[in-house]
Amino acid sequence: MAEWRATACILCECNCGLEVELGGEAGRHLVKLRGDKRHPSSQGYACEKPHRLDLYQHGRDRVTSPLRRRADGTFEAIDWDTAIREVAARLATVRDTHGGDSIFYYGGGGQGNHLPGAYATATRRALGIRYRSSALAQEKTGEFWISDRMMGSATRADFDHCDVAMFLGKNPWHSHSIPRARTTLKQISQDPARTLIVVDPRRTETAELADIHLAVKPGTDAWLVAALLAILIEEDLIAHDFVASHVAAGEIAPVLAALRAISIADACARTGLEEALVRRTARVIGGARAFASFEDLGVQMNRNSTLVSYLHRLLIVLTGSIGKPGTHFIPTTLVDIGNGESKHTSPVVGARIVGGLVPCNVIAEEILTDHPKRYRAMIVEATNPAHSLADSKAMREAMTSLDTLVVIDIAMTETARLAHYVLPASTQFEKAEATFFNFDFPHNYFHLRRRLLAPTAGTLPEAEIHARIVEALGAITDADYAPFRAAAKLGRRAYAMKLMALIADPRLGGLAPVILYRTLELPDDLREGAVVFGLALRAAMAAAAPLARAGFGGSPLEAACTLFDAILGHESGVVFAVDEWSDVMKRIKTKDRKIHVELPDLLAELATLAQPASVADPEFLFVLTAGERRSFTANTIIRDPSWRRKDPAGALRINPDDAAALGVASGQSVRLTTRRDSVIVPIDVSTTMQRGHIALPNGLGLGYPAADGAAGDVMTGVAPNELTSAGDRDPFVGTPWHKHVPARIERID
Ligand SMILES: Nc1nc2c(c(=O)[nH]1)N[C@H]1C(S)=C(S)[C@@H](COP(=O)(O)OP(=O)(O)OC[C@H]3O[C@@H](n4cnc5c(=O)[nH]c(N)nc54)[C@H](O)[C@@H]3O)O[C@H]1N2
Ligand SMILES: Nc1nc2c(c(=O)[nH]1)N[C@H]1C(S)=C(S)[C@@H](COP(=O)(O)OP(=O)(O)OC[C@H]3O[C@@H](n4cnc5c(=O)[nH]c(N)nc54)[C@H](O)[C@@H]3O)O[C@H]1N2
Ligand code: SF4
Ligand SMILES: [Mo]
């Protein structure tokens, strides 16, 4: 009988629980995979993407030895001791010459791996690194910034119990982001008492299921949401009681006045939608028993993105859609995502830092300058910015101009190819890993996955890499570890006491992740989970009641110890917090515990919607969505192109009338040109596209070694960011406008 082992899918942030059967050569292949019914959130659900995860584990471009760049640009394999010594020495030199704030840290995790970032906090501390970022700062920082100002916290939505669901610029059929997405979407769609609203220029798979599909003209969501709000006010569909109890005094009147000034007819005309349809939608939302809504990249990577995030939140607040089942909630989490400081700005261009993250779109600019405060070295971990950030050409130029670039990855990615040093990590099946993007409510869970396979020879888990770097920097010594090792011998409680005292230690406090990893005694297949003990301790202090309801009561010390044991003991994940809907409004973290709706800068931006529409550049009459989620896309996590069973070439989607006008048919290639570059790409003529709108998939255009060992790489599809510009970004938080790239198409004969 084959043995099924518990793990999780690493291809999107849901991290559905999986069971895997190992086999093949040396038992190191993931031969069979199925949804894990014991997983508290996914409950056996899985989509089509994980079935060949073995292609991730056994990529032909895995790196299996530390690499050092030679003067001629080629790489040589070096041993780990040399690699760590040289990396530490070079970074220490940059720090000692130019200060820790000249070293930039980017990444820390992907869709399924989050522990690297937790351990990297120690490396950052040891090097005095001040500036950092991650992919979140090219998608979610607008939403974070607005939510933080309005409520002091981000909210999530309860699609299991809503009667009206809205997806604004999101296609969860393919992108998921909510538990068991397809099942949930079908349930809402099939229930005559529930309404599914989808706002998307394309008739997506989600839109096909919708009761109301608002096929806005690309980039006009601000006018749509403003019109919805204006109609709610005009038709008096506002939740007055909720507003009176929860909105800060005096703030609602100016907001209502600003929204009353919106011309509903004009705003609807901008979106290309019939006013009657928009009015019907507003009435459905205003009349909902429970309204749940989710905004994503279609609006967050688009014009007016921060304004849309603001208007979207106003829609939630003015309909009273927070704090009751089927609406929006603030979950208890073990990890605070996006909680960094938002008060300072980036050193060269002075860009707003939200949640501690420098906007991704300014990174290249902050390297390619002679400004004394420029970034001179970079650590890039578990992310592929040379491919995923706007303007790949500028990113490549910036990264190759650094004094030192260290890349920690499992594969020879577009970014790793630019590095001075590549430090090869073990895969997510070769170490313990954890899910961090779990926001379930009222029962939230935590999933610490066990290692399934011994690390591939020559690779190390990030926990070990960071511990070695911190030690090589001389920031920590064996003498520092000794009291913790002694406490560990006395048991978990004694250890926890020692750890609590560490928090206040100015020198060692910031190095806690490495101390935990080196001194907490754990079984081999859970070793990298050490840092989770620190998270459990913090949660036990911050969220005693939800933890107690989940069975982890007693003193914070007791709760942390029993919770950590439960996390270690439940290989498919464990419910760690049980919330109550009545707690939600108490989690509004603004100073006065009220919701702040009057944001003057955003109201000023709102007023600009009345200005005449700008005229499109006649050179570029198409709007390109550069990077769309499809059936077989998963950022750049699986690099082997044979993984994609559908749409293998990554076709450009185009409306039939546009294709006819150009005289091209599906399968034929066209030249696609933006202000930044020109590429050749096959097209897929699709009735789901509206005229003037074209779409390229996300995550293609990766170099991959040929199967027959032939020299050079095979490249499949277009890398979207060869076509994008870093300057096309949101004025408030710098997020890119990847869904709105002006483009031109020409027939090639
Ligand atoms: N299969 C798959 N799933 C994934 C990922 C993946 O790579 N592949 N990546 C994961 C990640 S990192 C993320 S952040 C999420 C993102 O998840 P989504 O945001 O759902 O992903 P996208 O497909 O990029 O964009 C969503 C939709 O925006 C629409 N859109 C384009 N222009 C506009 C517009 O002007 N207005 C509106 N309202 N909509 C517009 C597109 O037509 C598209 O359907 O997906 C996650 N899940
Ligand atoms: N034009 C355009 N650009 C986009 C988007 C778009 O829609 N359009 N979407 C954007 C979005 S929302 C996101 S989130 C980003 C995602 O882009 P990135 O942040 O670059 O993330 P991934 O492509 O997932 O890269 C993950 C990297 O981690 C490596 N990896 C996998 N497992 C491990 C491990 O265990 N340890 C280590 N150290 N490395 C590992 C993989 O090999 C890969 O190089 O892309 C963004 N870029
Ligand atoms: S929904 Fe996401 S995590 Fe779940 S199986 Fe599909 S890709 Fe994997
Ligand atoms: Mo993302």
Side-chain angles (χ1 to χ4, degrees), residues 11-14 16 45-49 156-157 159 162 165-189 196-200 202-210 212-213 292-298 628-631 633:
L11 297 177
C12 88
E13 72 226 56
C14 291
C16 296
Y45 178 94
C47 73
E48 73 277 26
K49 288 191 285 297
R156 300 283 293 193
F159 291 101
C162 63
M166 182 164 91
F167 292 99
L168 180 61
K170 170 142 198 86
N171 180 16
W173 184 269
H174 279 318
S175 67
H176 286 83
S177 320
I178 59 168
R180 296 160 270 107
R182 291 174 185 172
T183 310
T184 306
L185 291 172
K186 280 193 253 172
Q187 279 167 355
I188 302 173
S189 174
L196 176 61
I197 302 168
V198 173
V199 184
D200 198 307
R202 186 170 95 79
R203 199 177 71 246
T204 60
E205 298 71 10
T206 311
E208 292 277 6
L209 294 174
I212 300 178
H213 173 206
S293 186
F294 195 134
E295 66 173 66
D296 215 344
L297 303 187
E628 170 185 85
R629 273 68 190 161
R630 293 186 184 169
S631 186
T633 69

Side-chain angles (χ1 to χ4, degrees), residues 232-549:
L232 288 175
I233 295 165
E234 190 187 273
E235 301 195 6
D236 195 23
L237 295 168
I238 302 292
H240 295 286
D241 290 349
F242 180 92
V243 169
S245 333
H246 298 295
V247 170
E251 291 203 11
I252 196 70
V255 172
L256 295 184
L259 291 168
R260 277 198 195 97
I262 301 285
S263 157
I264 295 168
D266 177 58
C268 292
R270 293 286 188 105
T271 65
L273 300 170
E274 295 287 340
E275 184 178 328
L277 178 62
V278 180
R279 282 194 182 269
R280 175 156 86 87
T281 310
R283 286 177 202 135
V284 167
I285 294 172
R289 171 183 55 74
F291 172 60
S293 186
F294 195 134
E295 66 173 66
D296 215 344
L297 303 187
V299 293
Q300 294 185 335
M301 288 188 174
N302 216 322
R303 297 188 313 167
N304 304 114
S305 53
T306 300
L307 176 61
V308 174
S309 291
Y310 172 56
L311 295 172
H312 183 213
R313 242 127 237 100
L314 284 180
L315 193 62
I316 292 168
V317 172
L318 295 192
T319 54
S321 306
I322 311 177
K324 53 182 191 187
T327 66
H328 299 81
F329 56 81
I330 300 168
T332 298
T333 56
L334 224 50
V335 191
D336 223 354
I337 309 282
N339 68 337
E341 200 197 333
S342 297
K343 288 194 185 72
H344 57 300
T345 53
S346 72
V348 177
V349 308
R352 176 173 279 120
I353 290 177
V354 175
L357 307 173
V358 170
C360 296
N361 275 49
V362 310
I363 297 172
E365 225 171 307
E366 299 208 312
I367 297 170
L368 294 170
T369 165
D370 54 10
H371 193 288
K373 285 286 177 195
R374 67 182 180 273
Y375 310 131
R376 296 165 199 259
M378 211 166 154
I379 303 175
V380 175
E381 181 167 44
T383 176
N384 188 7
H387 182 277
S388 58
L389 295 192
D391 199 341
S392 301
K393 285 174 262 298
M395 281 308 296
R396 283 193 294 269
E397 191 192 340
M399 291 203 275
T400 45
S401 77
L402 290 165
D403 175 283
T404 303
L405 173 62
V406 179
V407 173
I408 306 173
D409 203 297
I410 64 154
M412 203 60 193
T413 65
E414 288 62 32
T415 309
R417 291 165 200 214
L418 309 173
H420 296 97
Y421 292 89
V422 184
L423 303 180
S426 311
T427 67
Q428 296 174 52
F429 303 110
E430 298 174 340
K431 65 196 172 210
E433 256 301 350
T435 300
F436 274 17
F437 293 143
N438 48 310
F439 304 109
D440 287 16
F441 191 95
H443 297 81
N444 203 5
Y445 74 96
F446 193 79
H447 189 193
L448 178 66
R449 283 116 63 183
R450 292 179 193 182
R451 179 177 109 180
L452 298 179
L453 302 164
T456 294
T459 70
L460 291 176
E462 293 84 350
E464 181 67 33
I465 296 175
H466 288 293
R468 291 191 189 185
I469 293 176
V470 169
E471 289 158 359
L473 286 166
I476 202 160
T477 63
D478 253 343
D480 295 319
Y481 293 140
F484 290 91
R485 290 201 167 114
K489 296 274 173 252
L490 301 174
R492 204 53 57 70
R493 283 180 61 95
Y495 189 89
M497 304 265 275
K498 197 92 200 98
L499 197 65
M500 301 248 271
L502 180 68
I503 298 170
D505 184 314
R507 183 174 68 89
L508 291 178
L511 306 177
V514 162
I515 295 175
L516 275 157
Y517 173 71
R518 281 287 190 240
T519 64
L520 188 61
E521 291 179 5
L522 288 177
D524 260 358
D525 62 352
L526 285 163
R527 186 158 307 285
E528 297 78 21
V531 70
V532 175
F533 189 44
L535 301 177
L537 202 55
R538 199 159 59 190
M541 291 187 276
L547 261 56
R549 285 186 216 114

